């Protein structure tokens, strides 16, 4: 990796220390922007098209227009990764409503701010926790209902995620999940949740960000011959599960060892979690759904 990360920002490739946005940028002032995070492993970006689909959906729903086609996005993303000389990378691309032309700005009149930032590959947990599992609490903060800020927006406004992480860390847990307003399980601060019960795999169907890794694990589960149900889960289902794991671009599956003071029965990671995580990394290394950084 070069000494300093190189960011793409509004038409330029700049070292981090020289990359800046205006303090009036609406992304900074209002959290008015959307983003996505894709990862590269061994020089191959996984499911870039799926991440761009989600990104374009978020932009469309938020009335944001980067002015770029998907192909242009792909080119800039790949070029930014190349310039950082990283084969294992987490790649964040961001569009905000930019800097307003007046103090009280009409949100329809904007020039988007565009940033691509590449960091070394990020795992949600350290190596020890990846082996032994993480401890999750159930947060007192509920997720946004879809008639407020639909969780499918991958938007910059992440204060609620920070609040649930703060609550979890200060209570001695590694992370937290939130429930929806009906008390059903939604997701964790930056990952989706799965349980295994009697060899059937379940994951919440609504009130969630549509994780690209979540869909990959649903597909892998079925390919491995297990039944996978997208359904309504309550905290009781988590407590009584044989296995619980989370999924994210930051590491694939992460086994859970404890939820709100209840130990998960059996070995951690459990057999189904281990099998699916192995399949996930094999899929990544196969190059399927991959975009090579070095053409
Ligand atoms: C709230 C939330 N849920 C789920 C995920 C997992 O999504 P993906 O698998 O696409 O990384 C993320 C990722 O950042 C997230 O922020």
């Amino acid at each position: 990796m070069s000494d300093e990360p190189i960011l793409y920002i509004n038409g330029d490739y700049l070292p981090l220390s020289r990359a800046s946005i205006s303090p009036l940028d609406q992304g900074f002032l209002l959290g008015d922007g959307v983003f996505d995070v894709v990862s590269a492993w061994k020089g191959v970006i996984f499911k870039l098209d799926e991440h761009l689909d989600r990104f374009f959906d978020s932009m469309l729903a938020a009335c944001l227009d980067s002015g770029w086609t998907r192909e242009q996005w792909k080119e800039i993303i790949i070029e930014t990764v190349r310039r950082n000389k990283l084969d294992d990378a987490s790649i964040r691309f961001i569009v905000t409503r930019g800097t307003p032309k007046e103090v009280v700005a009409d949100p329809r009149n904007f020039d988007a701010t565009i940033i691509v930032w590449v960091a070394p590959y990020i795992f949600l947990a350290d190596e020890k926790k990846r082996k032994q599992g993480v401890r999750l609490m159930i947060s007192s903060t509920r997720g946004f209902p879809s008639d407020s800020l639909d969780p499918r927006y991958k938007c910059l406004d992440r204060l609620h995620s920070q609040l649930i992480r703060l609550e979890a860390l200060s209570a001695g847990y590694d992370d937290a999940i939130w429930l929806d307003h009906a008390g059903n399980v939604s997701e964790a601060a930056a990952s989706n949740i799965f349980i295994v019960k009697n060899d059937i795999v379940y994951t919440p169907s609504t009130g969630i960000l549509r994780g690209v890794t979540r869909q990959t694990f649903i597909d892998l589960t079925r390919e491995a011959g297990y039944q996978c149900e997208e359904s309504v889960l309550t905290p009781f289902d988590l407590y009584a599960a044989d296995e619980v794991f989370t999924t994210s671009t930051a590491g694939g599956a992460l086994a859970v060892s404890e939820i709100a003071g209840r130990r998960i029965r059996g070995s951690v990671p459990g057999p189904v979690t281990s099998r699916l995580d192995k399949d996930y990394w094999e899929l990544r290394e196969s190059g399927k759904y991959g975009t090579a950084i070095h053409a």
Side-chain angles (χ1 to χ4, degrees):
M1 185 186 179
S2 52
D3 293 333
E4 260 201 276
I6 306 291
L7 273 74
Y8 175 90
I9 180 158
N10 290 338
D12 295 313
Y13 292 95
L14 294 172
L16 179 60
S17 57
R18 287 181 40 221
S20 62
I21 58 163
S22 163
L24 301 185
D25 192 284
Q26 302 290 275
F28 170 68
L29 281 182
L30 303 175
D32 183 358
V34 300
F35 73 106
D36 215 290
V37 182
V38 67
S39 68
W41 191 254
K42 298 191 177 172
V44 179
I45 302 176
F46 187 60
K47 292 201 167 178
L48 181 54
D49 281 311
E50 286 77 353
H51 284 273
L52 283 171
D53 284 345
R54 183 171 67 184
F55 184 56
F56 272 73
D57 285 351
S58 282
M59 276 197 284
L60 195 60
C63 301
L64 281 162
D65 184 0
S66 66
W68 286 1
T69 63
R70 287 171 65 98
E71 280 316 302
Q72 288 170 313
W73 271 105
K74 269 192 190 177
E75 279 167 29
I76 299 290
I77 288 168
I78 293 168
E79 181 57 24
T80 315
V81 184
R82 277 191 196 134
R83 288 182 185 231
N84 281 279
K85 299 187 172 58
L86 284 172
D87 282 346
D88 302 333
S90 291
I91 307 147
R92 182 175 293 249
F93 35 104
I94 305 162
V95 169
T96 83
R97 214 171 297 275
T99 305
K101 295 173 183 65
E102 302 123 33
V103 177
V104 181
D106 181 335
R108 295 167 301 182
N109 183 14
F110 67 95
D111 289 323
T113 294
I114 295 174
I115 300 172
V116 181
W117 170 39
V118 178
Y121 187 90
I122 295 163
F123 285 96
L124 265 192
D126 64 27
E127 206 178 337
K128 190 170 165 219
K129 286 180 182 157
R130 294 207 297 278
K131 283 194 185 125
Q132 296 179 354
V134 289
R135 299 172 56 242
L136 300 186
M137 81 176 286
I138 294 183
S139 174
S140 62
T141 299
R142 299 285 170 109
F144 284 108
S146 57
D147 59 359
S148 172
L149 187 58
D150 193 305
R152 287 177 294 178
Y153 283 101
K154 196 160 168 69
C155 57
L156 294 183
D157 187 337
R158 297 272 127 182
L159 181 61
H160 59 311
S161 308
Q162 294 293 69
L163 293 179
I164 81 162
R165 289 199 62 230
L166 281 167
E167 187 183 4
L169 294 173
S170 52
Y173 287 89
D174 299 307
D175 200 354
I177 59 164
W178 56 52
L179 308 179
D180 66 16
H181 282 249
N184 299 317
V185 175
S186 292
E187 58 190 333
S191 54
N192 293 110
I193 195 142
F194 285 77
I195 70 166
V196 184
K197 180 75 175 172
N198 298 331
D199 279 340
I200 301 176
V201 178
Y202 300 87
T203 189
S205 52
T206 55
I208 54 167
L209 180 80
R210 301 270 144 190
V212 173
T213 323
R214 170 185 179 273
Q215 188 58 51
T216 305
F217 273 77
I218 291 172
D219 295 342
L220 288 172
T221 300
R222 293 179 178 148
E223 280 162 29
Y226 293 102
Q227 194 178 329
C228 185
E229 300 285 341
E230 296 178 59
S231 58
V232 173
L233 299 176
T234 71
F236 185 94
D237 296 310
L238 302 181
Y239 305 150
D242 301 328
E243 300 177 38
V244 179
F245 61 94
T246 65
T247 61
S248 77
T249 297
L254 183 58
V256 175
S257 59
E258 184 187 320
I259 305 251
R262 281 86 163 173
R263 296 282 311 167
I264 299 303
R265 75 181 83 193
S267 57
V268 175
V272 179
T273 309
S274 301
R275 158 81 198 265
L276 295 176
D277 196 46
K278 182 171 147 292
D279 292 352
Y280 171 77
W281 286 102
E282 280 176 9
L283 177 64
R284 292 202 61 151
E285 299 212 0
S286 74
K288 201 174 170 194
Y289 307 114
T291 304
I293 298 168
H294 311 287

